[in-house]
Amino acid sequence: MNILVVNDDGIFAPGIEKLARAAAKFGNVTVVAPAKQCSAMSMRITLFADMELKEYDFPVEGVKAYSLDGTPADCVKAALYHLLPEKPDFVFSGINAGYNTGRDVLYSGTVNAALEAVLDGVPAVAFSNENSFGSQEVCDHYLEDIMREVMALPAEPYTIWNVNFPCCALSEVKGIRRGVTLADVQLFTGQFLKKTDESGKEYLCQVGTVLGLDKAPEGTDVHAVLSGYIAIGRVTAAVNKA
C-alpha cells in the first residue's frame, strides 16, 4: 500500500511525524508538506508564483519527504501530478494541532487537503487533535486502530473521513462516536482585538473563544469531542455529483 501524508501545520510539525510513523506500519509513506505554517488556508492553491520544493530529512526511517513553499492543497497536487509515479492508495492529512469540526472545516487546510485528494479520486482521511500542548494520550492509543478501521470502509465519491481526538487523559475517554454530523456552529468563535502601535496605526488581531458544550448540538462532531469522545464523521466536497 502507498500512502501520502500531508498537513497544514508544516513539515516541522510534531503531528505529521506521528501520523507518518503510524502510517508506515501499513505501507510505503511519502510526506509532502508546506514549508511553513499554513493553517486556515482552506483549499487555496498558488498561481503565478514559484514554489520551492526541497527534500526534507524526515525523522521516520524509510519515509521520503518533501517540503513545498505552498499551501496544503498545493502539496497534494504536487504529489499526485509531479512527485509520485502513481496515485497513492490513501491520503492521510494531519495530525492537526486543533480540532477540525463544524463550520471550522470550511477554513481548515488539513480537511481541505484531504478533500483535494478525493476530488482526484484518492480516498482520504483528516486527523485532528485538540492542540500540540493538550493531552495526546487518546490519539496515541487509538490512532493505528482508527487508521485500520477507516481504510477498511468503502470509499464514497468526493467524501473524506474526518477524525477528531478529544483532549483528555486516556482514562477519561468515553469511547468512539461514529457517523457524527457536522455541527452548524463554530467551535472557536471569532473575536477581534484592536492594537495601536507607537505611530498610531491600528491593527486587528483575530482570537477565538471555545464554544460551550451546552451550545453544541447532540449527535454532532463538536458535541462528541467536547464530551470526551473520539469523533468520526464524513465531510463531502461541495461539487455537483450528478
Side-chain angles (χ1 to χ4, degrees), residues 8-9 13-16 18 37 39 94-101 110 127-140 163-169 187-188 208-210 225-226:
D8 72 358
D9 290 320
I16 198 169
K18 183 180 297 186
Q37 169 61 249
S39 290
I95 301 168
N96 191 65
Y99 294 137
N100 279 307
T101 55
T110 300
F127 297 90
S128 302
N129 201 42
E130 197 274 335
N131 58 46
S132 296
F133 306 103
S135 174
Q136 307 285 307
E137 291 182 10
V138 177
C139 179
D140 291 345
V163 180
N164 283 271
F165 297 98
C167 180
C168 62
L187 180 58
F188 298 99
T209 56
V210 180
V225 293
L226 292 182

Side-chain angles (χ1 to χ4, degrees), residues 54-225:
K54 295 193 298 186
E55 284 199 40
Y56 184 81
D57 186 16
F58 202 73
V60 180
E61 185 176 356
V63 171
K64 192 159 191 176
Y66 302 86
S67 68
L68 181 70
D69 189 18
T71 70
D74 288 328
C75 292
V76 175
K77 285 182 172 291
L80 298 186
Y81 291 102
H82 177 71
L83 291 168
L84 300 178
E86 58 185 4
K87 286 185 177 180
D89 298 291
F90 283 93
V91 171
F92 289 160
S93 186
I95 301 168
N96 191 65
Y99 294 137
N100 279 307
T101 55
R103 294 179 192 167
D104 292 306
V105 303
L106 297 172
Y107 305 101
S108 168
T110 300
V111 169
N112 282 279
L115 288 172
E116 182 67 53
V118 297
L119 290 177
D120 279 295
V122 182
V125 188
F127 297 90
S128 302
N129 201 42
E130 197 274 335
N131 58 46
S132 296
F133 306 103
S135 174
Q136 307 285 307
E137 291 182 10
V138 177
C139 179
D140 291 345
H141 183 81
Y142 283 95
L143 179 59
E144 291 178 26
D145 287 343
I146 289 179
M147 280 182 172
R148 189 176 294 108
E149 177 179 336
V150 294
M151 285 191 291
L153 295 172
E156 298 182 24
Y158 307 110
T159 300
I160 69 165
W161 291 104
N162 187 36
V163 180
N164 283 271
F165 297 98
C167 180
C168 62
L170 183 59
S171 60
E172 297 173 348
V173 68
K174 296 179 181 177
I176 303 173
R177 285 189 173 169
R178 300 170 175 86
V180 294
T181 58
L182 282 174
D184 189 20
V185 293
Q186 282 186 262
L187 180 58
F188 298 99
T189 54
Q191 295 179 340
F192 288 87
L193 296 178
K194 186 173 76 171
K195 299 179 179 180
T196 305
D197 67 13
E198 295 178 355
S199 67
K201 291 182 180 179
E202 292 187 354
Y203 300 87
L204 290 179
C205 176
Q206 188 166 197
V207 296
T209 56
V210 180
L211 188 78
L213 180 59
D214 59 318
K215 296 182 180 179
E218 290 193 26
T220 65
D221 49 2
V222 173
H223 190 275
V225 293

